[in-house]
Amino acid sequence: MSAFRWLLCALTLTLLAPSVEASTGGGTPNHSYELSGDALRRLYNSAVYKAERMKRPLEGTSVVMGPISHSGVRVTLADGSRWLIHKGNNYGTASQTVVVDARHMSSDWRVVREGNFQGRKTVADFVATGGSNYDLLFDNCHWASIRMMDQ
C-alpha cells in the first residue's frame, strides 16, 4: 500500500508541476528589481539574523496541503531588510535557488517555522544550501527550505 501512496503522490506532484511559478506571489516574475555587481555581492555576503520557513498555495489553489504548496525561507538581515530565498524549476540561470526582495511577496505566504541565526550564516550560505539543481521529487522547494532552516 505504501508503494501505491508514493506513486499517487509522485503523479499528483507531476501534474501540479506546471502550477509552480517563479514569482513570489503568482504570475510572471518581475525582474525589474534584480541586483547585480557590488549590490548583489553585498547582499550575498550579508549576515542572516532571523529566518522564517514559509509556505503559500500553488497558483490556482487557495489551500496549503503538504507538498501541494510552494515554500521558501524569508531571511532578515542586520539592516532589517527581508529577502525570500526559494527554489523552483527554471527560477534562475546559475542556480535554481534564487533571492528576491520580500517586499514583493504576496499576502498568501504564511510562516510555518522560525529560526534565530544570530548572524552566523550569510545569504550565500542559504542559497548554497538550497542547491543549484531542481528535481520535482527529490530536490524541490520543500526539501530546499527544510535544509536551509536546518543548517
Side-chain angles (χ1 to χ4, degrees):
M1 189 60 143
S2 124
F4 175 75
R5 285 186 185 163
W6 176 250
L7 181 61
L8 183 60
C9 181
L11 178 62
T12 301
L13 287 172
T14 302
L15 293 173
L16 289 172
S19 298
V20 179
E21 67 287 329
S23 73
T24 54
T28 307
N30 178 354
H31 296 288
S32 63
Y33 51 84
E34 288 183 356
L35 299 176
S36 61
D38 288 339
L40 183 61
R41 197 170 5 271
R42 275 192 302 277
L43 173 62
Y44 270 57
N45 290 327
S46 296
V48 172
Y49 286 86
K50 180 180 178 183
E52 301 162 296
R53 182 167 185 254
M54 306 187 74
K55 283 189 172 187
R56 68 160 168 79
L58 292 176
E59 186 175 356
T61 66
S62 59
V63 294
V64 170
M65 291 187 341
I68 305 174
S69 60
H70 181 57
S71 64
V73 175
R74 181 173 63 188
V75 297
T76 304
L77 309 181
D79 63 2
S81 66
R82 297 191 309 178
W83 300 84
L84 176 67
I85 305 170
H86 63 140
K87 180 177 196 162
N89 194 30
N90 297 317
Y91 275 24
T93 305
S95 174
Q96 301 306 310
T97 301
V98 297
V99 182
V100 293
D101 193 322
R103 290 180 290 189
H104 303 287
M105 294 173 69
S106 75
S107 61
D108 293 335
W109 289 90
R110 298 288 178 254
V111 175
V112 294
R113 181 177 166 197
E114 293 184 15
N116 185 349
F117 283 81
Q118 302 175 359
R120 293 185 313 264
K121 297 288 182 179
T122 65
V123 171
D125 293 328
F126 277 78
V127 172
T129 301
S132 59
N133 298 317
Y134 178 85
D135 182 276
L136 179 64
L137 294 178
F138 302 109
D139 198 5
N140 56 41
C141 63
H142 303 299
W143 294 120
S145 64
I146 290 168
R147 284 194 310 268
M148 284 187 252
M149 293 300 291
D150 288 344
Q151 65 180 317

